[in-house]
Amino acid sequence: MSRKLFLFLTLIIVTVMLVGCAQQPAATQAPAQEAGGESQAPTTGGETIKIGIFSPTTGFAAADGTSALQAAQLAVTMINDNGGIMGKKLELIHYDDAAKPDQAASIARKLIEQDKVVAGISGSYSGATRAAAPIFQEAGVPMISAYAIHPDITKTGDKIFRVGTLASVEGRVGAELVGSVIKGKRVAILTIDNDFGVALTEAFKAHAKDLGLDIVLEEKYPLGETEFRPIIGKIKEANPDVVYATAYYNEAANFVSQAKDEGLNATIVGQEGYDSPKFIELAGPAAEGVIITTDLNRDSDRPMTKTFLEQYKKTYNEDADMVGASAFDAVQLIAYAIKTAGSTDADAMVKALMALKDFEDVATGPFYRYTPEREVVRPIDAQIVKDGAFHFYHEFTDPDLITP
Amino acid sequence: MSWMQNLSNAMVLAAIYILMASGLTMVYGVLKVLHIAHAAVYTVGAFAGVLIYTWVGNFWLALFLAMVISGLLGIVIYRGTYFYMLDSPRTVPLIASIGLYVMITDLLQKDFLMGPYQRAFPAQGAGLPRIETRFFTLTPKQVLILLVAVALMALLYVVLTKTRIGLGWRGAAQDREMAASVGVNLNRVISLNFFLGSALAGAAGVLVGVYNNSVFATMGDVVSYKAFIIIVLGGMGSLPGAVLASIILAVAENFLVATVGYVLPRDAIAFLVLIVFLMYRPHGLLGKE
């Protein structure tokens, strides 16, 4: 009988590994599947300029991957409706990487070798993006990471750029927000236990020390957590006036709702992981008063931000999120690079991007410039949830703060 | 927060675990199959619940219909797959069920069904009151979960112990061939068993959807491993064991996090509890030799 039990346990472990692999962005099992590609070309015939994108449209990250793909497609459509680039239409080629590094790597090869794209976009998470970046770099094809924020991505080489804000910058701005704008004194930190959360928290803590903030509690929780009540009890005992909680929108919605249920009175400060209309939909009234740092200012009167928000809503009947805006901007950047370079030559495109100055044609902009490390310098916004929507709260433009 | 508040929160978590695992325990009891696709039934239940709730605006009707739909899906799964594998080695239906789970989840994620985004399930506490005492507070959602879980478990207990269906089920659980040879209609018993077990999964899906105010295609992932810890810990196929295991896990997870914080993720705590118990009780809490 004990042999049978052993067999069952083995089976369960195998099962958990098989089924649970969808839980971990960094997991690298499962044989690389032949990803079903779908070309979303305008059927005009003749030559097109091909841009490749990989994003997870199945699996646990499907929401973000779909937002990224839809927004990128919107940018391509808008550019083509305006006559394309150099008389040619753009063509977006998408494959689903399920946010898995091994799939992202094989997709990168496919995009480069088979589809012969002139540039690539990562609409996926850090793990998958880090796997694909070296392949683009080696082939000499420029790649832009839309919203994956791991520092190593751009360190891959001189062809790899980023649209999103580095965690080290965003964490620093978060501390500035708490210390100088909200004027909090006692801070509790709740960190999502992955690259994203840990990098943010480290930057936050470094700057919080400079500002003399008192960190009264620090806790980490796993990705996908839904039950925050026990930890909220601990936070309440520490009696902070601000909680800096790194999270994606689903964890954030659960945390914020349960904090309200349990009577936690501190101001909750989040960051771009919260930046989705889904956060407000899922958290409901509990979301009111939550403040986040993000790249997307929904009250902006910049024409491109307005156009993007309006067109996205019109096309997909959903409100746009930060992830989508970033992928949209990646396409805009590539289009700008090709136009400025006057060709699809990789080195010329890279040169054009490196020389970029006060670029306004992006939804999450303006982009002041790219650093030599190919990180974008841009103002960072604080948004507050009011009456069921994100609204402008504060803008950070101090170069010391926002330069990576 | 007092320990009483932690305990009441843990009981709500336990109620959710009980609903997730009881259907699975029933299926395992009769078929001896690790029915991973149970997690997909849970997701379908939640999805059906949120759709019906959005259409008609009545939570109780949504819960009932979601349970019926989940139950029917359970029967379809049984008649479509396991039925043909009753005499195969147990790994065959296991692998089929993993495939089925992945397939249903991916299918649900398609745009014409759930799509990739999370949906809110704003049923609140279905109009139930908030319970506030000096020692602990239960939100309306928590009252709802405890109420439904207790009611369904009571109902299940009556069905299993006081009816002919229950008698047939217990017979089949003890010895399938023998039960068949004394006139138990195995197919009907197993189908009913799947119907009830899957309806419970559907109820769990609806309640978790309401509790977290979110329904999404991959929400079954938690069930696919958590429920298995519970049925192994409880003693494979033992319903009272599954209930006891649910309570132990929920209390352990809740109190460890509340006192020492996340030294381990909650799921890791659950596996740790499982391993510790199995060292002393290799057949689970209430399992038989």
Side-chain angles (χ1 to χ4, degrees), chain A residues 37-166:
Chain A
E38 47 198 288
S39 164
Q40 309 197 334
T43 46
T44 47
E47 234 182 297
T48 56
I49 298 173
K50 289 179 178 169
I51 299 174
I53 180 170
F54 56 95
S55 75
T57 47
T58 58
F60 75 102
D64 283 339
T66 306
S67 291
L69 173 61
Q70 290 182 348
Q73 187 55 52
L74 176 66
V76 166
T77 309
M78 281 167 59
I79 291 167
N80 286 341
D81 288 349
N82 282 325
I85 301 173
M86 302 186 305
K88 289 180 187 166
K89 299 269 181 199
L90 284 185
E91 180 182 352
L92 193 67
I93 298 169
H94 170 257
Y95 297 102
D96 171 19
D97 72 338
K100 286 181 183 159
D102 56 339
Q103 290 197 34
S106 56
I107 288 169
R109 285 199 189 87
K110 197 168 173 182
L111 284 171
I112 294 164
E113 288 159 17
Q114 199 175 310
D115 299 313
K116 310 250 185 280
V117 298
V118 302
I121 295 170
S122 159
S124 189
Y125 287 8
S126 285
T129 310
R130 282 163 76 186
I135 295 161
F136 279 99
Q137 174 67 30
E138 226 166 90
V141 176
M143 187 195 96
I144 300 183
S145 162
Y147 62 95
I149 47 110
H150 197 282
D152 284 355
I153 294 168
T154 43
K155 285 182 188 151
T156 309
D158 64 346
K159 303 281 188 292
I160 313 297
F161 290 74
R162 194 196 313 266
V163 168
T165 302
L166 266 182

Side-chain angles (χ1 to χ4, degrees), chain B residues 198-221:
Chain B
S198 301
L200 287 172
V206 169
L207 290 177
V208 170
V210 171
Y211 196 37
N212 296 334
N213 194 24
S214 86
V215 173
F216 53 103
T218 51
M219 66 188 282
D221 289 355

Side-chain angles (χ1 to χ4, degrees), chain A residues 1-2 4-5 7-9 11-16 18-20 22-23 57-68 70 190 193 219-234 236-237 249-251 253-254 257-258 260-263 276 278 280-285 312 318 321, chain B residues 1-2 5-6 9-10 13 16 28 32 34 36 90-91 94 98 101-102 106 109-111 116-121 124 130 137 139 141-142 211-216 218 220-222 224-225 228-229 232 236 253-255 257-267 271 274 278 281-284 288-289:
Chain A
M1 190 64 199
S2 70
K4 276 185 188 168
L5 191 76
L7 180 69
F8 288 149
L9 283 178
L11 288 179
I12 286 166
I13 290 163
V14 169
T15 309
V16 168
L18 281 174
V19 180
Q23 294 265 313
T57 47
T58 58
F60 75 102
D64 283 339
T66 306
S67 291
Q70 290 182 348
L190 188 60
D193 197 0
E219 287 288 349
K220 271 184 197 168
Y221 69 93
L223 177 75
E225 179 61 285
T226 53
E227 180 74 18
F228 290 94
R229 287 173 185 85
I231 208 75
I232 289 167
K234 268 195 96 182
K236 267 174 77 178
E237 276 166 21
Y249 70 83
N250 45 340
E251 288 92 359
N254 275 317
S257 316
Q258 292 167 19
K260 177 136 194 175
D261 279 351
E262 303 284 333
S276 160
K278 285 284 159 188
I280 295 172
E281 186 188 338
L282 300 178
Y312 192 94
E318 292 261 356
D321 51 20
Chain B
M1 180 165 23
S2 68
Q5 181 64 51
N6 271 326
N9 288 343
L13 193 62
I16 291 171
Y28 184 84
K32 307 286 184 281
L34 284 175
I36 311 282
R90 285 179 201 175
T91 41
L94 171 67
I98 295 172
Y101 172 63
V102 174
D106 279 353
Q109 218 160 27
K110 291 287 168 203
D111 275 333
Y117 297 103
Q118 302 200 0
R119 283 169 192 246
F121 197 150
Q124 304 309 335
R130 186 184 177 89
T137 306
T139 64
K141 284 181 184 180
Q142 291 180 320
Y211 196 37
N212 296 334
N213 194 24
S214 86
V215 173
F216 53 103
T218 51
D221 289 355
V222 178
S224 68
Y225 57 86
F228 287 95
I229 301 178
V232 175
M236 312 291 283
E253 288 177 16
N254 217 301
F255 276 84
V257 172
T259 49
V260 291
Y262 282 97
V263 276
L264 284 173
R266 282 195 302 126
D267 297 338
F271 273 107
L274 175 69
L278 286 188
R281 291 198 62 90
H283 302 290
K288 294 194 184 73
E289 189 78 21

